[in-house]
Amino acid sequence: MAQALRASRESADDVAASLYTFRTPLPEHVGEITSLMSELYAISALLSSLEHVAEDPRNRRCFNMIKPDLNVVQSSYTYTIEDIGDIFRELDGGDASPARYKRTWLNMNRFFWDQSQYTLATRLAKYKTIFKEFYDLVRDGQYTSPLLAGLVNGFKTLLSTQDSRFAARFEGMTLRPDDAPSGNGASSRHRPRPTTPVRDPPVRDRPTRDHPLRDQPGRDRPLRDQPGRDRPLRDHPMRNHPVRDYPLRDHPIRNSPVSDRNARRRRSYERTRPPHLSPPMSPSSGTSSEFPPSVPDIPTSPHTSTTSRSSAPDIIKEHWAKETFGSNSTSTPLPSVRERSYCRGEPQLGIKQWIKDEGFEELLQLSLNDESDMRVSFYLRRLDYRVRILCREPHRTKPSDYYCLPLNLLEILRDGSCLRLCRRKHGTQLILWTQLKFTTLEDMVLFHNTFLALRSQDAGHVIGGIIDHELGHEDEIYAALIADDEYVHALRVYKDLVTGAVRLQASVFLGEMKHTPVWTAFVTHNLGKRSWLKSYDSRTVIVRDIKPVVFISMDDYTSPQTPQGHHVLEFKSSSDARMFLETMDELSE
C-alpha cells in the first residue's frame, strides 16, 4: 500500500509540473492554474504523510480500518490523474501554440464538469480534504470525522462513473490495420488492440465495504477561526484540516445586549453541508441517477440505516423550510404580467412513485397563485439531504403532467415577475426548464433563497460555486461583514428596482457554502420610522420590528436578539456600522 501511495504522490507532482507550462501561453488563467498546482502539491504532501504512517507498525490497526475506503478514493484519484495526462497528450507534436493550449485547457475543464457536474478544482479540493481526514484517523485512533462518510460516498459514486467509462473504452477497442489477417488466406485469429493505450483499472486491495468509516458524530470542534473582536469567529469552509485545540465557548461573542442566549448546541459539523445519516451505497448498487429510468428497474430493497432514529429529531417534520413561507407579515405586489407558470421539460410518467422508491419524502408543497394552477414541491432524501423539485402541471381534459429534476442540475434566474429554472448546456447555454410566476416580491425572494439554500445543503452533490445567488432587478445598496451567531456573515442591503422594496440579507461569507443565504428580512415598512434602528455601541446596532426568515436549521443558527426580542447586528468595524445607519437613513428619504 505504501508503494501505491508513493506512486500517487509522484503522479501529483508530475501533473503539477505539467500544469506549470500552461502559465505562459494562458496568462488570463494564471490564477486558476496556480490554484490547481497548489492543490496537487498539497495532495502530494498528504500522500507522503500517509505513506509514512502506513509504514509504522503502531498504526497498523487504524490503517487497516481505513484501507477499504482509502482504496476507493485512491482508485478514483488514479483515474483522475490519468485522465488529465490523456488530455495533456493533445499538446504532443510540434504545434504547441497558445491556441492549442487554450483548447486543451477548455477541453480539460469541460471533461471533468461533464463527468461529475463540478469542476476539477472542486474535485482536487475533495481529494485533499479526504486524504487529510484519513491521515488524522490513522494518527489518532480516537479521532472522529463528520465529513468522511459523505466524502467516501461521493467518491464511490464518482468511481462508479469512472469504472463505467473505462469499461466502455475497453469494449470499444478496434483492430488496427496491421492487426488484420495476412493476405495468404491464413485463418489465424489476431487479438484486437486499442488505438490508444488502455489503462489497467486501479487495483483495490479488497472490496469496499458498504458502511461508512467512523460515522459516529464527532466531538464538537470549530473550523478555522476568523479574526474577531474579543475572540475568534468561525467561517464556513470545507475543512482543510481538523482543528482540535479550540473548544466551543458557551458565552456570547462579547458583553452585549444579547442575554439569556442558549448555550451552544452540540454540532457534528460547523456550517458545512449536512452529514449523511445512513451508510453510503456501494458502486455496484449505484446511487440515485439524475433521471428516472425509462423502464422500471427490478425493485430494490429500501435504503436502511444502521443508526437508530427513534430518539433523533425528524428531519422532515422539523425542517427549516416548513417555516419559510407564510411567516412574513409584509406583502409587496409585483407588476401583473401576461406570462404564466409552465414547464418546458419532458413529462415523466410514474415519477412520484420513482422518487419515493429512491428514498425521497415531500418536504414542502407550494401553489402558485396564477391561472396555471401549477404546484411545486420539494422532496428531500434523509440519506444525503439531496433535494428534488417536482412540478405538477394540471390539464382540464387529461391527467396532470409531472416534471422532476434534482436541484444541482438547475440554475435560478429572475425575469420580471417570474423565476426561470434553467439547465446549463455545454457550459454556457441556459435552457429553460420551468417558469414560475409570482404575485408578491416576498414570495419570489423566499422561493429564490429556499432554492439556493436547499441546493447548497446537498451533502452528496456539492455545487462548486454558486453563480446565481443574486436576484435579478435588485440593487445592492450596502455590504459589510457581521459577527452573526459566532459566524462571519456578509450582510447586504438590497433595493428592488421594480417595486422599491428594501430588505436585509445575511449570507455565508467563506467556504464551500459561500453566498448561501442564512436569513433575510423585509424592512420597507420601517423606513422613515423613528428608533427602529438604535446604536448600542460603535459597532452594534439593534434592529426593531423585523422578522428574519431563516434558511438554515435551528440547530446550526440562532438569530442574535436582545431580551426584548429585537434583532442585533454586530459589525466588524465601527465604520461599517456607521455606514449602515447612514445608508438606511438615505433610503428613508
Side-chain angles (χ1 to χ4, degrees), residues 204-426:
R204 303 178 192 125
D205 291 351
R206 64 181 184 183
T208 59
R209 58 185 176 186
D210 290 333
H211 58 278
L213 181 62
R214 300 183 67 85
D215 200 20
Q216 307 95 325
R219 61 182 181 272
D220 290 322
R221 295 182 302 275
L223 297 179
R224 294 179 299 169
D225 292 326
Q226 289 292 314
R229 297 175 55 182
D230 298 320
R231 69 192 184 103
L233 296 171
R234 291 175 299 217
D235 59 11
H236 306 257
M238 177 183 290
R239 296 186 311 165
N240 292 331
H241 56 275
V243 178
R244 283 171 274 186
D245 299 329
Y246 305 97
L248 294 176
R249 306 182 184 183
D250 291 333
H251 54 273
I253 297 174
R254 61 185 182 87
N255 295 330
S256 73
V258 184
S259 61
D260 298 328
R261 294 271 300 276
N262 293 330
R264 300 296 297 177
R265 291 165 296 277
R266 289 183 59 82
R267 296 173 177 173
S268 60
Y269 63 96
E270 294 293 340
R271 199 66 96 245
T272 54
R273 292 178 174 84
H276 293 260
L277 296 182
S278 55
M281 293 174 289
S282 65
S284 60
S285 62
T287 59
S288 299
S289 61
E290 308 293 4
F291 306 98
S294 55
V295 178
D297 291 330
I298 299 174
T300 57
S301 59
H303 305 303
T304 60
S305 173
T306 58
T307 304
S308 173
R309 295 183 184 147
S310 59
S311 59
D314 191 305
I315 296 172
I316 302 296
K317 290 182 179 179
E318 300 183 19
H319 198 278
W320 57 263
K322 292 189 177 293
E323 305 296 327
T324 299
F325 295 89
S327 61
N328 190 65
S329 58
T330 65
S331 180
T332 306
L334 287 170
S336 178
V337 293
R338 300 182 64 180
E339 285 89 348
R340 60 188 295 272
S341 301
Y342 62 92
C343 290
R344 282 264 182 95
E346 290 293 329
Q348 295 161 291
L349 296 175
I351 183 63
K352 293 188 71 175
Q353 184 60 43
W354 183 83
I355 60 177
K356 182 180 178 180
D357 293 342
E358 289 293 314
F360 289 87
E361 301 172 62
E362 188 175 65
L363 174 64
L364 183 68
Q365 183 180 111
L366 303 171
S367 296
L368 301 178
N369 297 321
D370 69 349
E371 62 275 12
S372 70
D373 196 28
M374 181 185 290
R375 293 189 179 182
V376 178
S377 300
F378 290 107
Y379 280 77
L380 172 71
R381 184 166 60 192
R382 299 170 188 260
L383 173 72
D384 52 7
Y385 285 76
R386 185 131 165 90
V387 176
R388 283 178 167 268
I389 184 172
L390 178 75
C391 298
R392 192 204 74 171
E393 196 171 45
H395 302 288
R396 294 181 179 178
T397 58
K398 64 177 183 177
S400 299
D401 286 329
Y402 290 89
Y403 308 79
C404 184
L405 278 180
L407 296 191
N408 71 298
L409 294 186
L410 294 169
E411 295 180 33
I412 187 167
L413 307 169
R414 179 180 177 181
D415 182 13
S417 298
C418 301
L419 289 177
R420 298 163 67 88
L421 306 184
C422 302
R423 298 195 64 193
R424 188 169 290 276
K425 184 178 181 181
H426 304 310

Side-chain angles (χ1 to χ4, degrees), residues 29 49 80 95 99 112 221 294-295 372 385 510 525 540 549 585:
H29 295 293
S49 299
T80 297
D95 179 25
F112 287 106
R221 295 182 302 275
S294 55
V295 178
S372 70
Y385 285 76
L510 291 173
H525 64 287
T540 304
V549 181
D585 282 342

